[in-house]
Amino acid sequence: MRVKKGSYLGKDVVIAFALDITDIKTAQEAIKKERDQVQKYLDIAGVMLGVLDRNGTITLMNKKGFEILEYSEEELIGKNWFDNCLPKEIIPEIKNFFNETMKGDQKNIEYYDNPILTKHGKTKLIAFHNTVLTNNNLEIIGVLFSGEDITEKDLAKKKLEKSEFNLKEAQRIAKIGHWELDIPNNILYWSDEVYRIFNLDKHNFEATYESFLNFIHPEDREYVNNRYNDSIKNHTPYNITHRIKLKNGTIKYVREIGKTFYDKNKAVRSIGTVQDITDRVLAEQKLNSQLKRNQLILNTTNDGFILADDKGNIFETNPAYCKLIGYSSQELKKMNIRDLEIPIPKEQIDSRINRMLKQGYDNFETQHITKHGKKIDLSVSIAITKYENKPFIAAFVRDITLQKQSLENLKKSREEISELAQHLQDIREEERRSIATEIHDDLGQSLTALKLDTTILLKLLSSSDKAITKKIESMKDLADQTIRTVQKISSELRPGILDDLGLAAAIEWEASKFQERTNIKCTLTLEPSDISLSENLNVTIFRLFQETCTNVARHSKATELDINITKQKYKLIMKIKDNGIGITASQINDHKSFGIIGMKERLKNLNGKINFVGKPNKGTIVQIEVPLKSED
């Protein structure tokens, strides 16, 4: 009823209009009741159900929809679907598609997957089913949609896809595929990897048991077939390695493992795996070939071989070592290396270990004791290796007992020769001195007396006897010449100045004489200027200086010679440098260079050393060092 103020016949009145709405109310209550009933039906549904008008406003949503979107009815009804329920990045695309659908310009898509955004920011994947709503005039007024939350299904699907991908990758990497045989129907299923192993196109190959057998190597076919049939008959697993022959003639090695399932004792299905082990088999064949070759080498070599663990327990030996040590292989396998090697100091063991750790190998000499108690000298080459993933010590040993004895004998012989050479040198020096003394004292005095006699004789003779006078004068000149020759011979045999005035004066005198004879300018430096040593050392240094000067005169083509002799507290250093053509390495090492060999031999007994350095056209340096004793 509506009430309105007005006037009637000049008087103010209230006009009331009344409408009977009983039928309308009844109809509205019926509609509400029907809507509530529909809502109940919608709420019972296990999927999201909703209605959007042409503007995308949510006009209806069931209980499941509110649960999925995490909104209450009051929060969502009347709100825009795109602004509230979709991730921002997809709103433009979905909204544009929706608007075109409302205009009738876009074909209605009844099913699609679409992410939604919940109230709390979670993203869920929904599988939507849509249909457009029209009025009585067939005008599009909105859309009715249902949506199933497939988030977990999608995750499970992705996990399954990932698992299948990983399985395929694992099979590809391991070269292992799986198969299944439907026995009653003779239908064989192969995974992709099996097709790769057999180098076949799955779309152009009819997989049956017989077609599989056709790819078995002819020499293995009967064996494989019998093994498979025996496994079915005896209800046992199928495990076999065999060859296959591809269409292009390539031979591969595969390993198959399978199991058969039965229904009332009747075989109905077999499943299994097949792995391409060609690389491994070929590697094993190559390794076995190498092992056989190595074993042949070990068994035929003259050197002994020992393989022991890191504690020294013997694991393997070869026949040469067994023969060398006197034990059998079985006896040695019960022994430790320490049972065979003579005891050595801990410091020596530590040194070996350190070298082994640093280099991975070592070389040394040791002694082992044979079964009969005899000590034998061994040269050992040892290395750390791995056997069955455990550290082992591999050692080659060579018997050097005779070699060491020969070396010892040679060393002794060299020492004896050296001592004999020194003894002969001493005898020669003594003989030189003795002869020089006799020549100087006896022959020199006689010649001097002869000269005096001729001088007296000349005075006694008459000057008229010219022939006799001339003869006597000739005798006198000959006596003078002989005296000079005797003095020269005497000084060359053993310069008296060396014994009378010492080394410094003798070197200075010899350098002066050398310069006079060769025109090679000599520069002498002595530190100290009055160097004096023991008689034996004086002679040795002087003779070395003489030999060096002789070599310079013969070979160097030098014009200058620098001589520097320094006496230090514990050693004497003599350095002689020329400006000649320079000595070569081949000349230094020539076994016919007797002068150099003699110089080295002289120094050996004094524990001295000599060094030669030659540079082409820049000269040669000879440096001699001799250790000094307290008496020097």
Side-chain angles (χ1 to χ4, degrees):
M1 184 178 74
R2 290 188 299 172
V3 179
K4 183 179 180 184
K5 289 182 180 181
S7 61
Y8 182 72
L9 299 177
K11 294 182 181 180
D12 294 330
V13 296
V14 175
I15 303 172
F17 297 92
L19 178 66
D20 186 357
I21 59 171
T22 303
D23 293 338
I24 295 175
K25 292 288 286 183
T26 300
Q28 287 178 343
E29 289 176 1
I31 291 172
K32 182 177 182 303
K33 184 177 181 181
E34 187 175 348
R35 182 185 178 91
D36 291 343
Q37 190 67 30
V38 171
Q39 186 71 46
K40 287 181 181 180
Y41 292 149
L42 294 176
D43 289 342
I44 292 173
V47 297
M48 176 195 300
L49 294 172
V51 176
L52 304 181
D53 66 14
R54 289 180 60 86
N55 298 318
T57 302
I58 304 169
T59 61
L60 181 67
M61 183 71 66
N62 70 341
K63 183 179 179 181
K64 187 64 176 179
F66 292 127
E67 290 178 0
I68 291 174
L69 292 165
E70 299 176 353
Y71 283 100
S72 66
E73 182 178 355
E74 292 78 13
E75 292 173 322
L76 202 57
I77 296 298
K79 300 294 177 61
N80 187 275
W81 169 261
F82 303 105
D83 297 338
N84 292 274
C85 301
L86 295 182
K88 289 182 180 181
E89 60 270 15
I90 68 169
I91 290 176
E93 179 186 353
I94 301 299
K95 196 171 185 178
N96 182 62
F97 181 81
F98 178 80
N99 291 334
E100 290 182 357
T101 302
M102 291 299 99
K103 294 176 184 178
D105 297 336
Q106 185 68 255
K107 182 180 178 181
N108 183 41
I109 299 178
E110 294 184 355
Y111 177 81
Y112 61 92
D113 293 345
N114 195 81
I116 63 166
L117 192 66
T118 70
K119 176 183 177 179
H120 299 102
K122 296 179 183 177
T123 300
K124 296 182 179 180
L125 186 64
I126 306 297
F128 284 102
H129 292 264
N130 291 342
T131 184
V132 295
L133 297 176
T134 60
N135 58 18
N136 293 333
N137 297 323
L138 299 180
E139 295 173 341
I140 298 175
I141 60 172
V143 64
L144 170 66
F145 66 85
S146 68
E148 181 184 2
D149 185 356
I150 60 170
T151 305
E152 295 300 326
K153 289 183 180 179
D154 184 63
L155 290 174
K157 179 183 176 183
K158 288 179 178 177
K159 287 182 179 179
L160 179 60
E161 290 174 348
K162 184 177 181 181
S163 177
E164 290 178 346
F165 174 79
N166 289 340
L167 176 61
K168 288 182 179 180
E169 282 298 293
Q171 289 187 350
R172 183 184 64 80
I173 294 170
K175 296 183 179 180
I176 183 169
H178 63 277
W179 55 265
E180 182 175 342
L181 176 63
D182 180 349
I183 298 175
N185 298 310
N186 193 21
I187 298 175
L188 180 61
Y189 165 79
W190 279 354
S191 69
D192 291 344
E193 186 58 30
V194 179
Y195 282 101
R196 274 193 288 269
I197 292 172
F198 281 75
N199 197 26
L200 292 171
D201 182 358
K202 65 189 301 182
H203 302 294
N204 297 318
F205 176 71
E206 183 181 356
T208 65
Y209 181 71
E210 288 73 22
S211 59
F212 157 71
L213 284 177
N214 288 334
F215 282 95
I216 305 300
H217 193 283
E219 296 177 3
D220 297 349
R221 191 172 296 152
E222 183 179 355
Y223 170 69
V224 172
N225 187 47
N226 290 339
R227 284 290 302 272
Y228 176 66
N229 289 327
D230 288 345
S231 74
I232 293 176
K233 180 181 178 180
N234 300 322
H235 292 226
T236 56
Y238 170 65
N239 190 333
I240 187 173
T241 297
H242 62 85
R243 292 169 292 174
I244 61 174
K245 187 175 183 180
L246 308 186
K247 286 184 176 181
N248 60 9
T250 301
I251 305 297
K252 286 187 177 182
Y253 291 83
V254 297
R255 183 187 180 191
E256 289 195 77
I257 300 175
K259 180 180 180 181
T260 301
F261 296 88
Y262 302 83
D263 183 11
K264 297 180 181 179
N265 211 35
K266 180 180 180 182
V268 294
R269 183 168 64 100
S270 293
I271 63 171
T273 61
V274 55
Q275 183 178 16
D276 181 359
I277 58 171
T278 306
D279 292 342
R280 188 180 75 191
V281 170
L282 294 179
E284 288 175 352
Q285 290 176 350
K286 183 178 180 180
L287 179 61
N288 288 334
S289 176
Q290 291 175 341
L291 289 174
K292 288 180 181 178
R293 184 167 63 251
N294 293 342
Q295 193 63 46
L296 179 63
I297 293 172
L298 288 177
N299 289 340
T300 56
T301 182
N302 291 326
D303 290 338
F305 175 77
I306 307 169
L307 184 66
D309 64 19
D310 54 352
K311 294 182 176 59
N313 298 312
I314 297 174
F315 189 76
E316 191 64 70
T317 58
N318 71 337
Y321 184 72
C322 295
K323 182 179 179 181
L324 180 67
I325 206 72
Y327 290 99
S328 68
S329 176
Q330 295 303 318
E331 288 176 319
L332 288 169
K333 288 178 180 180
K334 299 176 183 179
M335 300 173 70
N336 190 284
I337 291 178
R338 295 184 182 88
D339 299 330
L340 301 167
E341 189 173 28
I342 62 169
I344 57 177
K346 182 178 181 302
E347 296 76 14
Q348 192 173 343
I349 296 175
D350 292 340
S351 177
R352 284 184 192 173
I353 293 173
N354 290 334
R355 288 196 303 271
M356 287 273 288
L357 292 175
K358 184 177 180 180
Q359 303 174 160
Y361 65 91
D362 192 18
N363 298 294
F364 56 87
E365 292 182 2
T366 188
Q367 285 185 318
H368 280 193
I369 303 173
T370 69
K371 186 175 182 178
H372 305 294
K374 180 183 177 183
K375 291 182 181 180
I376 55 175
D377 293 293
L378 298 177
S379 173
V380 182
S381 297
I382 192 168
I384 298 176
T385 184
K386 278 196 172 183
Y387 183 79
E388 296 180 349
N389 292 323
K390 295 179 182 178
F392 275 79
I393 298 171
F396 281 94
V397 299
R398 176 172 295 178
D399 185 0
I400 57 170
T401 305
L402 293 178
Q403 181 182 343
K404 290 204 74 171
Q405 289 175 352
S406 298
L407 287 174
E408 191 66 30
N409 292 337
L410 180 60
K411 182 181 177 181
K412 184 178 180 181
S413 175
R414 284 180 175 176
E415 289 175 352
E416 290 174 349
I417 291 172
S418 181
E419 289 174 359
L420 177 60
Q422 183 61 39
H423 179 65
L424 293 175
Q425 190 71 37
D426 292 342
I427 291 174
R428 185 168 61 179
E429 285 294 335
E430 186 60 35
E431 286 294 322
R432 280 181 169 185
R433 181 165 60 180
S434 176
I435 293 171
T437 300
E438 289 180 8
I439 290 174
H440 183 271
D441 293 348
D442 298 339
L443 185 57
Q445 288 178 9
S446 297
L447 289 170
T448 301
L450 180 61
K451 180 182 177 181
L452 290 174
D453 289 343
T454 56
T455 302
I456 294 170
L457 187 59
L458 282 172
K459 290 180 179 180
L460 294 175
L461 288 173
S462 170
S463 57
S464 60
D465 196 352
K466 292 182 179 181
I468 296 174
T469 302
K470 186 176 180 180
K471 188 66 176 177
I472 293 173
E473 286 178 347
S474 176
M475 290 174 61
K476 179 182 177 184
D477 292 339
L478 182 59
D480 285 336
Q481 183 179 347
T482 305
I483 290 171
R484 288 194 295 272
T485 301
V486 167
Q487 289 175 340
K488 180 182 177 184
I489 293 172
S490 177
S491 65
E492 286 179 353
L493 284 172
R494 176 82 170 209
I497 194 172
L498 180 63
D499 297 318
D500 299 334
L501 300 179
L503 179 63
I507 293 288
E508 188 173 354
W509 172 79
E510 181 65 23
S512 176
K513 299 292 286 183
F514 177 75
Q515 179 173 305
E516 183 180 331
R517 289 195 310 270
T518 63
N519 290 322
I520 296 175
K521 181 181 178 182
C522 295
T523 302
L524 176 63
T525 303
L526 297 170
E527 297 180 8
S529 59
D530 58 343
I531 294 176
S532 182
L533 306 170
S534 63
E535 180 182 351
N536 183 44
L537 199 52
N538 276 343
V539 172
T540 300
I541 298 300
F542 182 77
R543 293 303 184 196
L544 289 171
F545 176 69
Q546 278 187 319
E547 185 63 38
T548 302
C549 290
T550 300
N551 288 335
V552 170
R554 287 179 179 176
H555 309 294
S556 73
K557 298 181 181 180
T559 59
E560 295 180 1
L561 190 66
D562 290 332
I563 306 137
N564 190 302
I565 303 177
T566 304
K567 181 182 180 182
Q568 298 178 356
K569 186 174 182 181
Y570 296 108
K571 65 181 176 180
L572 179 85
I573 301 174
M574 179 167 66
K575 185 175 181 181
I576 304 172
K577 178 181 179 183
D578 67 52
N579 65 343
I581 60 176
I583 193 171
T584 64
S586 60
Q587 289 173 322
I588 295 171
N589 299 315
D590 189 353
H591 65 280
K592 293 183 179 180
S593 297
F594 298 113
I596 293 176
I597 293 172
M599 294 170 75
K600 291 179 178 179
E601 196 63 36
R602 280 183 180 272
L603 285 166
K604 184 182 293 184
N605 293 314
L606 298 173
N607 295 320
K609 57 184 180 179
I610 184 169
N611 186 43
F612 297 88
V613 178
K615 293 184 179 181
N617 300 318
K618 291 187 177 180
T620 301
I621 298 176
V622 179
Q623 181 161 314
I624 297 169
E625 294 186 14
V626 180
L628 300 178
K629 299 178 181 179
S630 57
E631 59 266 27
D632 295 322

